[in-house]
Amino acid sequence: MSVRILALVGSLRAGSHNRQLAEAAIKHAPEGVEVVLYEGLADVPFYNEDIDVEGGVPAAAARLRDAAGLSDGFLLFSPEYNGTMPAVLKNAIDWLSRPYGAGALTAKPVAVVGTAFGQFGGVWAQDEARKAAGLAGGAVLADVKLSIPGSVTRFAELHPADDAEVVTSLTEVLRQVAQGTAAAAA
């Protein structure tokens, strides 16, 4: 049985180091694990209950929910913007939290990782993303962490997919998310 993990990247930049980290996860996913990078978070409107009604959900939000519904687990990649997670990632979590108690995140394993320029690798943002995903119903794997500091210098000439230490750590994160899907199904 294959495990499908949906990767949501909190940076919209094409050359984002967090996007590159997601690309590394796709490239180095363990056997039996498929990582799918969600494209289109920039198109999802800010969450608004007035437009989250049957027959009125914006197409971009419906596509996000559909992709999440087809996934067994989630891997969120969060840079740190002014000490917290980017709005685009928080917005995705908000859309996936509804309908309340039955959103696409509900009871599915969620891990949060990332890289940032600072010396702590974005831990504040990642902690906030864990908190939001948990409140949204996700089964947050609180002990599954990967925060890579100094992204601008570390990945200046080396893609994360070619960094042996990153690959080893990221593969372990994916293994733990896959194990979480088995536990959620039991």
Side-chain angles (χ1 to χ4, degrees):
M1 180 175 119
S2 182
V3 172
R4 182 184 178 101
I5 297 173
L6 187 63
L8 301 177
V9 178
S11 175
L12 300 178
R13 287 186 323 106
S16 156
H17 294 122
N18 280 282
R19 181 181 180 85
Q20 290 176 3
L21 197 57
E23 292 166 355
I26 293 166
K27 181 176 180 179
H28 295 288
E31 187 166 335
V33 176
E34 175 190 15
V35 179
V36 177
L37 176 59
Y38 187 79
E39 302 284 1
L41 286 185
D43 301 326
V44 179
F46 282 114
Y47 184 79
N48 177 345
E49 259 185 299
D50 291 342
I51 61 173
D52 188 10
V53 294
E54 189 172 333
V57 175
R63 281 191 300 277
L64 173 62
R65 284 179 172 166
D66 289 345
L70 295 172
S71 300
D72 301 305
F74 300 89
L75 187 53
L76 311 182
F77 294 84
S78 185
E80 191 165 271
Y81 291 0
N82 297 315
T84 192
M85 78 177 109
V88 70
L89 187 56
K90 175 63 168 72
N91 189 49
I93 293 168
D94 289 344
W95 276 105
L96 295 176
S97 73
R98 299 289 192 259
Y100 181 75
L105 287 173
T106 301
K108 293 182 182 179
V110 180
V112 181
V113 300
T115 184
F117 178 65
Q119 66 180 342
F120 302 112
V123 293
W124 289 350
Q126 293 160 32
D127 286 345
E128 291 295 318
R130 282 184 199 91
K131 176 183 170 187
L135 290 170
V140 175
L141 304 173
D143 294 334
V144 179
K145 298 180 179 182
L146 176 59
S147 301
I148 305 166
S151 61
V152 173
T153 53
R154 182 165 188 164
F155 302 125
E157 296 180 21
L158 181 68
H159 192 285
D162 300 322
D163 183 315
E165 180 184 3
V166 168
V167 169
T168 298
S169 298
L170 197 51
T171 302
E172 178 59 20
V173 166
L174 291 169
R175 188 188 64 71
Q176 290 182 34
V177 175
Q179 281 183 335
T181 65

